[in-house]
Amino acid sequence: MDGWKNIQSSLQGLNIGQSANKFAKGFNSSVQATRERLGQVSPDEITELPQEYKDLEARVDALRQAHISLLKITKVYESESYDYPVQIQESIAELSTSIGYGISHFAATNLKGTNLPAPPEPTAPPAAQHKTLPHALGRAATTAAAGLTDPADKLGKALALYAGVWDKVAAARLNHDADIQAGFLQPWQTTLNTHITVAMKARQAVRVSRLELDAAKQALKNANPAKQEHARLEVENAEDDLVQKTEVAITLMKTVLDNPEPIKNLNELAKAQLSYFAASAEALSAVQGEIEELSVAAEGEYRKSRDH
């Protein structure tokens, strides 16, 4: 007997009536949504939402799409190698070298004191290289200049100058990416994933509430006299719920649309890009004249040698 009382007490604690009512509302709203989608509900039976609400919906949709569209492109700045297509081959080569170093280091360490021949201890692991086009241009020009050892070789001098320029541009590129990640990408994604998402969830709550109201109206329309009063109260409660949720959604959508943060983020993106391109232009301008002088001198010597 005591066990049965405990079961009854537990069932009461579950609040089955409230849960069942919530389940029924959810089922009715799903049925209502399906009927609307299939065209089984006439337009005059669908509760009209305020024009202000619908206008705000359109504006928030446009704001959300603007965030998604720009983020789709600018997310490349999260990957250092976005402008360097051969980085995959280099990464594979570096991985092979790194694995070889790891095996040699393991063997040299663990075969000491045994009768097995141990390989020589590797001096240092391979250094990681930045995978950007400026870094690659700098490395290629440095390697090319190093191969032209004749002091009189003008191409070697020009390549050395060119390599120095791209070392500076490469450093500016890293700063550029870091500034964009911190000043644009992170806050831009935060606005999309939090503020706009909250507004979208509030709109979904309005949609569900509107469906529940229209389902309640249908239930009132089809209710027998004994259930008319209960059905009428359900409609009144649903109307109050829709009004409340609509007001909340309007407030949240206005807050999102009035937020100045996206413009600030876009300004940070433009500033980072301007700083990078300005630094690149300054570095190239500083040595381009010298490379041109070497070019003119080399051409003059070439022509002079052909005249004799």
Side-chain angles (χ1 to χ4, degrees):
M1 195 66 165
D2 290 338
W4 174 246
K5 288 182 180 179
N6 290 336
I7 293 174
Q8 283 184 311
S9 177
S10 299
L11 290 174
Q12 289 173 358
L14 290 174
N15 202 351
I16 290 177
Q18 184 177 354
S19 299
N21 186 47
K22 185 176 181 180
F23 174 79
K25 283 185 178 181
F27 176 77
N28 291 338
S29 63
S30 297
V31 171
Q32 179 70 18
T34 302
R35 292 182 64 225
E36 290 180 9
R37 188 165 57 251
L38 297 176
Q40 297 175 351
V41 179
S42 61
D44 60 346
E45 291 181 312
I46 298 176
T47 300
E48 186 76 10
L49 295 171
Q51 188 60 45
E52 179 190 17
Y53 176 86
K54 292 190 286 187
D55 291 343
L56 288 170
E57 268 193 320
R59 291 180 61 196
V60 169
D61 284 341
L63 178 66
R64 179 174 179 272
Q65 190 55 47
H67 274 71
I68 292 173
S69 297
L70 199 55
L71 190 61
K72 187 177 181 181
I73 303 301
T74 54
K75 277 184 73 68
V76 298
Y77 292 125
E78 292 180 337
S79 173
E80 183 180 276
S81 58
Y82 60 81
D83 62 351
Y84 189 42
V86 300
Q87 64 89 17
I88 295 177
Q89 294 93 314
E90 286 194 359
S91 296
I92 292 173
E94 287 181 5
L95 178 62
S96 300
T97 303
S98 179
I99 291 173
Y101 167 81
I103 293 173
S104 298
H105 179 73
F106 176 83
T109 302
N110 290 275
L111 294 179
K112 288 179 180 179
T114 70
N115 295 326
L116 297 174
E121 179 77 28
T123 55
Q129 293 182 324
H130 287 290
K131 300 297 189 297
T132 77
L133 185 58
H135 284 91
L137 283 169
R139 288 194 296 267
T142 299
T143 301
L148 301 172
T149 56
D150 187 344
D153 194 310
K154 292 181 175 55
L155 178 57
K157 293 178 181 178
L159 283 168
L161 290 169
Y162 188 75
V165 166
W166 283 101
D167 286 343
K168 294 178 181 178
V169 175
R173 227 310 287 280
L174 296 180
N175 291 333
H176 163 265
D177 292 357
D179 290 343
I180 288 178
Q181 290 169 19
F184 175 77
L185 283 176
Q186 293 175 10
W188 194 261
Q189 290 181 93
T190 297
T191 297
L192 177 62
N193 296 334
T194 57
H195 304 99
I196 295 178
T197 297
V198 167
M200 299 298 288
K201 287 181 178 179
R203 285 170 47 178
Q204 178 61 18
V206 170
R207 179 179 179 275
V208 171
S209 182
R210 198 273 301 165
L211 288 170
E212 289 178 352
L213 171 58
D214 290 344
K217 287 179 178 179
Q218 287 294 322
L220 175 60
K221 184 178 178 180
N222 300 323
N224 59 46
K227 295 184 177 179
Q228 283 278 336
E229 182 61 23
H230 175 74
R232 186 183 61 79
L233 289 174
E234 287 292 322
V235 169
E236 290 179 359
N237 291 335
E239 287 175 338
D240 292 341
D241 183 71
L242 178 59
V243 169
Q244 180 185 14
K245 285 186 168 59
T246 302
E247 290 175 350
V248 170
I250 286 174
T251 299
L252 288 173
M253 286 192 289
K254 284 182 176 179
T255 300
V256 167
L257 291 166
D258 292 341
N259 182 16
E261 191 70 13
I263 301 177
K264 176 184 174 183
N265 304 152
L266 188 62
N267 181 51
E268 292 300 317
L269 173 62
K271 279 172 57 180
Q273 291 169 325
L274 174 61
S275 178
Y276 169 58
F277 291 124
S280 301
E282 181 181 357
L284 286 163
S285 297
V287 299
Q288 186 273 325
E290 295 182 57
I291 296 176
E292 186 170 11
E293 288 178 5
L294 289 169
S295 173
V296 171
E299 186 173 2
E301 291 176 5
Y302 177 79
R303 291 181 181 277
K304 186 177 180 181
S305 67
R306 290 298 181 269
D307 291 338
H308 294 290

